[in-house]
C-alpha cells in the first residue's frame, strides 16, 4: 500500500523537502521558499568560541512552519527504539496513509555513498508506502545526502530502515492539516524575506563580540579561521570540517538558494537572479577552498580567500538592495 500518484520533487534542504513534497503532492500551491521564510528563516548569525557556529535558522524555520500552519501535526516525537516496536509503528502508521517523516542517519542509507560510514549525518525522509509481505517500506528523499544532491524514491528493507532510524533515537514527525491559507503563507514569506534582507545588510556593531549577525558573519568567520591556522589550533581540521558542514549543508548556503527561489517567484528581473546565482556558486567554491587551506595549514591562501569573500559580499549586498526596491507583489 502506498500513496497514489506521489512524485518526489527535488529540494534545497532535507526537512524542508519532506514538508514541501507532502504538500505539493496534495496540490497545495506552495514553494520551498514559502516554507523557509514564513517559518522565519534567513536570520544569519555567527557565534564565536568553541565550535564556531554559523546559522540561518533553517531547522527552526521548518518546525515553526509546521507549528504555525499545519495545526494538528506532531513535532519532535521520539519512539522507543526497540526494533519490534518500530516496525509495528511503521506498519500501523503507513497503512493508515499518515504523512510520516522520520529522522535517519544520512551516512547509513544504502543509496548514499558520499559520507564516511562512521559519521552520523542527521537527515529526514518521507515514508510513502509499505509492503508487509515483502517487509519493505517505500521512501521518498527529495534532498539526497550525496554530492550534487538529487532525488530518490524506492523500496527499502524495513529492518535496514529500522536499524538506521535507531541511530537517530526514533525521532519522527507526523504532518496534519485541514486547510492551508496559501495567501497568508506567501505574504508572510515575502515580508519575512524583506526583514531578513534588511537585517543581513545592517552593519553589525558587535564585530568583536561573541555573536555577529548579517553579512559580516561570514567575514568574521573567515578572519577567525585564518587566526586558527596561524596559531596552529588543536583539532583545527575537525573544527573546519564541522564549519564546512554548517556552511554547505546546514543552512548558510541553502538559505541563499531559498532567497534565489523567492526572487524568481516575485518577479525579479532575470539579470538580477542570474547574478545572484553566480554569487552562490562563488560562495560554494570559496568555502571548499577554505577547507583546503586548513588541510594544507596555509594562512597565505586564506588572505586571498578573505579578499574573494569580501568582494562576493559586496556584490551580494548590491543585489539585495535592488531586491528591496522591487514593488510589493499581489498575492492571489
Amino acid at each position: 500500500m502506498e500513496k497514489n500518484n506521489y512524485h518526489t520533487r527535488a529540494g534545497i534542504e532535507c526537512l524542508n523537502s519532506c514538508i514541501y513534497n507532502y504538500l505539493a503532492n496534495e496540490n497545495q500551491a506552495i514553494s520551498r521558499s514559502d516554507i523557509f521564510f514564513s517559518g522565519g528563516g534567513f536570520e544569519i548569525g555567527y557565534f564565536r568560541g568553541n565550535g564556531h557556529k554559523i546559522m540561518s535558522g533553517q531547522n527552526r524555520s521548518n518546525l515553526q512552519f509546521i507549528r504555525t500552519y499545519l495545526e494538528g501535526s506532531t513535532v519532535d516525537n521520539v519512539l522507543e527504539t526497540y526494533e519490534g516496536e518500530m516496525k509495528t509503528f511503521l506498519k500501523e502508521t503507513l497503512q493508515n496513509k499518515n504523512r510520516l517523516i522520520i529522522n535517519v542517519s544520512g551516512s547509513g542509507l544504502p543509496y548514499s555513498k558520499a559520507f564516511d560510514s562512521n559519521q552520523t549525518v542527521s537527515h529526514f525522509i518521507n515514508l510513502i508506502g509499505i509492503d508487509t509481505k515483502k517487509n519493505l517500506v517505500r521512501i521518498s528523499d527529495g534532498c539526497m545526502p550525496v554530492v550534487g544532491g538529487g532525488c530518490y524514491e524506492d523500496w527499502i528493507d524495513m529492518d535496514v530502515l529500522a536499524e538506521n532510524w535507531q541511530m537517530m533515537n526514533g525521532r519522527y514527525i507526523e504532518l496534519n492539516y485541514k486547510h492551508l491559507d496559501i495567501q497568508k503563507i506567501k505574504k508572510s514569506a515575502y515580508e519575512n524575506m524583506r526583514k531578513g534582507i534588511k537585517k543581513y545588510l545592517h552593519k553589525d556593531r558587535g564585530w568583536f563580540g561573541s555573536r555577529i549577525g548579517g553579512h559580516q558573519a561570514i567575514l568574521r568567520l573567515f578572519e577567525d579561521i585564518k587566526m586558527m591556522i596561524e596559531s596552529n589550533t588543536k583539532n583545527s581540521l575537525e573544527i573546519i570540517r564541522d564549519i564546512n558542514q554548517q556552511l554547505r549543508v546546514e543552512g548558510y548556503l541553502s538559505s541563499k538558494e531559498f532567497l534565489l527561489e523567492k526572487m524568481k517567484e516575485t518577479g525579479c528581473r532575470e539579470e538580477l537572479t542570474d547574478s545572484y546565482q553566480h554569487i552562490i556558486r562563488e560562495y560554494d567554491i570559496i568555502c571548499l577552498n577554505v577547507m583546503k587551506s586548513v588541510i594544507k595549514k596555509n594562512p597565505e591562501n586564506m588572505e586571498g580567500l578573505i579578499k574573494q569573500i569580501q568582494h562576493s559580499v559586496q556584490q551580494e549586498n548590491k543585489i539585495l538592495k535592488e531586491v528591496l526596491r522591487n514593488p510589493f507583489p499581489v498575492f492571489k
Side-chain angles (χ1 to χ4, degrees), residues 131-143:
D131 186 331
T132 54
K133 292 182 179 179
K134 295 182 179 179
N135 198 44
L136 298 173
V137 177
R138 192 168 185 86
I139 70 170
S140 165
D141 188 341
C143 193

Side-chain angles (χ1 to χ4, degrees), residues 232-264:
N232 198 24
T233 301
K234 186 179 179 181
N235 300 326
S236 60
L237 187 56
E238 287 78 7
I239 293 171
I240 197 61
R241 279 176 176 164
D242 185 48
I243 291 172
N244 187 57
Q245 175 82 6
Q246 293 172 45
L247 289 170
R248 304 185 66 244
V249 178
E250 295 177 0
Y252 185 80
L253 287 179
S254 57
S255 69
K256 299 178 188 299
E257 293 282 359
F258 286 121
L259 181 51
L260 176 62
E261 181 179 86
K262 187 57 66 189
M263 288 166 61
K264 292 178 179 179

Side-chain angles (χ1 to χ4, degrees), residues 183-223:
Q183 184 176 356
K184 181 179 179 181
I185 291 170
K186 288 187 173 296
K187 185 177 180 181
S188 172
Y190 185 73
E191 289 174 344
N192 285 344
M193 179 197 76
R194 290 181 64 86
K195 289 177 185 176
I197 290 175
K198 289 176 181 178
K199 284 185 177 180
Y200 187 77
L201 294 173
H202 179 69
K203 185 173 178 59
D204 194 327
R205 295 178 181 176
W207 179 255
F208 297 103
S210 60
R211 184 191 185 283
I212 297 92
H215 68 278
Q216 296 202 46
I218 191 75
L219 301 175
R220 182 70 250 187
L221 171 63
F222 275 36
E223 291 283 355

Side-chain angles (χ1 to χ4, degrees), residues 45-102:
Y46 168 50
F47 301 84
R48 304 179 69 192
N50 294 332
H52 299 287
K53 298 294 180 184
I54 186 162
M55 304 177 182
S56 69
Q58 181 172 271
N59 187 55
R60 186 192 70 245
S61 71
N62 293 318
L63 300 180
Q64 188 59 44
F65 175 83
I66 295 172
R67 293 186 179 109
T68 304
Y69 299 105
L70 305 182
E71 188 177 353
S73 298
T74 53
V75 180
D76 278 338
N77 286 335
V78 176
L79 192 72
E80 291 292 338
T81 54
Y82 298 105
E83 185 177 343
E85 184 175 348
M86 297 178 89
K87 291 173 68 174
T88 298
F89 173 82
L90 289 177
K91 290 174 183 177
E92 291 177 353
T93 305
L94 295 177
Q95 285 175 338
N96 288 331
K97 298 185 178 181
N98 293 7
R99 306 178 191 93
L100 183 62
I101 301 170
I102 67 170

Side-chain angles (χ1 to χ4, degrees), residues 102-155:
I102 67 170
N103 189 190
V104 293
S105 168
S107 58
L109 295 171
Y111 57 88
S112 171
K113 304 299 180 185
F115 295 106
D116 187 322
S117 59
N118 294 320
Q119 181 185 12
T120 300
V121 181
S122 180
H123 189 58
F124 289 90
I125 58 175
N126 288 346
L127 303 188
I128 59 172
I130 188 165
D131 186 331
T132 54
K133 292 182 179 179
K134 295 182 179 179
N135 198 44
L136 298 173
V137 177
R138 192 168 185 86
I139 70 170
S140 165
D141 188 341
C143 193
M144 289 173 63
V146 296
V147 175
C151 298
Y152 184 87
E153 183 182 322
D154 208 346
W155 295 95

